[in-house]
Amino acid sequence: MKLWDKGISIDKKIENFTVGNDRELDMFLAAHDLQASAAHAKMLGKVGLIGEDEVNQLVEELQRLQQQVKNGTFVIEEDFEDVHSKIEFELTNKLGDTGKKIHTARSRNDQVLVALQLYFKENLQEIISRVNDLIDVLLKLAEEHQNSLLPGYTHIQVAMPSSFGLWFSAYAEILIDDLYQLKAALKIVDQNPLGSAAGYGSSFPIDREFTTKELGFSTLKYNVVAAQMSRGKSERAVTSAIASVANTLSRFSMDICLYMSQNFSFISFPEALTTGSSIMPHKKNPDVFELVRGKSNKLQSIAGEMVLVTNNLPSGYHRDFQVIKENSIYSVEGLKEILDVFTHSISQIIVKEVNLQDEKYKYLFTVDSINDLVMEGKSFREAYQIIGEQVQQGSYEPVGNKHHSHSGSKDNLSLDEIRKKQRSVD
């Protein structure tokens, strides 16, 4: 069954190519399509396009199908092009002519749009919650290990003294920047496109404000052409925000893989979170974080794909949008999985004591030595040259760990301020 079927046979090869894997993907959208269809039915009744009894019958049947989705028994058979045709078939099969009225004043275009917007909205809220959970874990770790020293690096060369507290809270605060982007994407998708039909509205006296309120959208996408143009635009916003989180997790994972190696040996994890080698019995591999790194980088590529597919399309609907549907859903579902396993794993990290008196960390304190000379009255450039000469001659002796007092430094992590920033994200 196809919603656009006019009784003309379609070449099977063309049909398979155009349908693609929509049936599988639409299982992610089924609950949202049913929700939107129920709101649409109620609206049709409100404006007098269908009777009250018909509204009740449609809503009752849609609720029955919704229960199937929750139970995992809802299936889109190969006879159907997508979830939308499956639902309309079920309504017609059960309710006859009443079921056929559900498509009044809407197109498959705005039907897909509203289901996607609802899907993105729900899942962005879940992702935001999971990012907040990870931030909480990291800030707790920062508090627990604020006095545990760690060498800082630039160019992967020993640079200046740092701490585990500084490391954990750095990623916590940078994730707050990712929250800003997720919230922005959420605001973009929190607009109701239903009623835009094929992108040019309808001559029926529909009530779009009613469905906006019924579906819990913050506002309406008023201009019907703009509503249609949000297809592609929304996917770009969502996958871009997800790519930002993925970038943070990828970099964090790289740190973890380095710090776990014997050459650094700063951290470890319980055996249950690592894997071994088929021939080297001593191996304790950070496979979880290597996969997080790889999967996160894959998610970042999707944001670029959205740009390439949609970049030069004119206004109105184009079938190109079907191409971005799969990977935008993959992006959402993929990040949820990554956040889940990352938070579970990082909460079990084992922080080791790092001996900063080791010879390889000898020059970790050169900047502090320069600052000491400046405090004694020398200019910074003169102090820099004195310490630099000592380094070159091999006569430099480290001053040891110095207290850093300013906000956000290793000895003043500003964790309460970071928490306030986290809570203020809206």
Side-chain angles (χ1 to χ4, degrees):
M1 179 183 173
K2 304 173 187 65
L3 298 182
W4 49 268
D5 192 353
K6 298 185 288 287
I8 301 171
S9 296
I10 302 297
D11 187 304
K12 197 65 180 175
K13 184 173 289 189
I14 298 300
E15 180 180 351
N16 291 338
F17 181 75
T18 55
V19 170
N21 60 347
D22 262 11
R23 282 183 289 269
E24 292 81 4
L25 293 172
D26 281 356
M27 291 302 296
F28 291 102
L29 304 179
H32 307 288
D33 194 86
L34 290 162
Q35 179 189 0
S37 293
H40 184 69
K42 292 175 185 177
M43 184 277 294
L44 292 177
K46 180 178 180 292
V47 300
L49 288 172
I50 61 175
E52 185 178 343
D53 288 345
E54 292 175 310
V55 173
N56 293 335
Q57 290 172 23
L58 286 167
V59 170
E60 183 179 347
E61 185 59 24
L62 289 165
Q63 289 173 344
R64 183 185 69 81
L65 294 172
Q66 192 73 270
Q67 193 58 50
Q68 287 185 7
V69 173
K70 290 179 181 178
N71 296 339
T73 57
F74 183 84
V75 178
I76 306 172
E77 295 87 352
E78 289 188 9
D79 298 340
F80 301 100
E81 187 175 20
D82 50 31
V83 68
H84 319 295
S85 53
K86 161 71 174 183
I87 290 171
E88 186 164 327
F89 171 83
E90 290 289 340
L91 293 176
T92 303
N93 191 44
K94 287 282 186 179
L95 304 175
D97 287 342
T98 297
K100 296 176 182 179
K101 294 182 180 181
I102 191 64
H103 206 59
T104 305
R106 72 175 180 181
S107 163
R108 189 169 63 163
N109 292 4
D110 64 338
Q111 192 175 354
V112 175
L113 259 174
V114 72
L116 278 168
Q117 300 289 80
L118 289 168
Y119 167 80
F120 288 139
K121 181 182 173 183
E122 178 184 292
N123 283 279
L124 281 173
Q125 289 169 333
E126 184 176 344
I127 287 170
I128 287 167
S129 176
R130 293 191 187 193
V131 171
N132 272 308
D133 289 343
L134 176 55
I135 292 171
D136 291 341
V137 168
L138 294 176
L139 290 177
K140 182 180 177 183
L141 287 168
E143 198 156 30
E144 290 174 2
H145 301 287
Q146 57 186 312
N147 297 319
S148 301
L149 292 178
L150 177 73
Y153 293 82
T154 62
H155 308 276
I156 318 183
Q157 306 293 309
V158 170
M160 290 180 65
S162 180
S163 71
F164 281 100
L166 203 58
W167 183 54
F168 287 126
S169 57
Y171 278 105
E173 189 167 8
I174 211 71
L175 280 166
I176 295 173
D177 291 342
D178 298 329
L179 283 180
Y180 293 141
Q181 293 202 51
L182 289 166
K183 287 282 188 175
L186 178 58
K187 194 164 187 176
I188 288 171
V189 301
D190 195 12
Q191 304 177 80
N192 180 25
L194 189 58
S196 58
Y200 299 96
S202 172
S203 59
F204 289 113
I206 58 175
D207 187 342
R208 299 186 66 208
E209 287 73 17
F210 174 86
T211 55
T212 298
K213 185 176 181 180
E214 186 73 16
L215 291 170
F217 282 108
S218 294
T219 188
L220 178 64
K221 198 73 170 180
Y222 291 100
N223 185 293
V224 291
V225 176
Q228 186 56 65
M229 289 174 69
S230 67
R231 184 79 188 272
K233 194 82 169 178
S234 294
E235 287 89 337
R236 286 173 68 166
V238 169
T239 56
S240 177
I242 286 174
S244 183
V245 182
N247 173 266
T248 301
L249 297 180
S250 177
R251 295 180 69 182
F252 201 169
S253 295
M254 185 64 205
D255 277 3
I256 290 168
C257 291
L258 283 174
Y259 290 0
M260 273 188 71
S261 76
Q262 290 87 344
N263 301 76
F264 289 81
S265 195
F266 298 155
I267 59 173
S268 185
F269 286 89
E271 296 282 349
L273 298 183
T274 62
T275 60
S277 163
S278 62
I279 64 170
M280 295 173 283
H282 67 281
K283 293 299 292 296
K284 189 176 177 182
N285 299 326
D287 283 23
V288 167
F289 296 101
E290 291 174 344
L291 284 170
V292 167
R293 184 176 61 198
K295 287 173 181 266
S296 293
N297 290 339
K298 189 173 180 179
L299 292 187
Q300 291 181 76
S301 73
I302 291 175
E305 174 190 302
M306 298 295 136
V307 174
L308 290 173
V309 175
T310 64
N311 202 36
N312 295 319
L313 295 179
S315 60
Y317 176 77
H318 312 279
R319 197 62 180 264
D320 309 55
F321 292 127
Q322 182 179 336
V323 177
I324 64 174
K325 181 178 177 181
E326 177 176 6
N327 276 354
S328 62
I329 291 174
Y330 173 88
S331 179
V332 169
E333 299 299 326
L335 185 61
K336 288 194 298 182
E337 179 188 31
I338 289 169
L339 282 167
D340 184 49
V341 73
F342 193 99
T343 303
H344 173 74
S345 300
I346 197 67
S347 63
Q348 300 178 63
I349 192 171
I350 299 167
V351 170
K352 298 182 179 180
E353 185 175 347
V354 182
N355 178 19
L356 295 189
Q357 303 309 311
D358 190 292
E359 180 67 18
K360 62 178 170 286
Y361 303 131
K362 181 177 180 179
Y363 298 123
L364 196 64
F365 304 99
T366 57
V367 176
D368 287 335
S369 297
I370 291 170
N371 293 349
D372 281 349
L373 293 178
V374 171
M375 294 297 287
E376 292 172 6
K378 290 185 168 54
S379 69
F380 179 84
R381 188 53 54 206
E382 183 184 6
Y384 178 90
Q385 290 170 346
I386 290 171
I387 299 301
E389 186 175 345
Q390 291 177 7
V391 170
Q392 292 298 319
Q393 293 175 350
S395 61
Y396 173 75
E397 290 297 329
V399 296
N401 184 43
K402 304 284 286 186
H403 184 78
H404 294 191
S405 62
H406 67 78
S407 298
S409 62
K410 69 179 176 66
D411 300 306
N412 182 8
L413 296 177
S414 304
L415 298 183
D416 288 340
E417 286 72 18
I418 294 173
R419 288 188 179 97
K420 288 176 186 176
K421 186 188 287 189
Q422 177 193 7
R423 290 194 295 269
S424 72
V425 178
D426 55 19

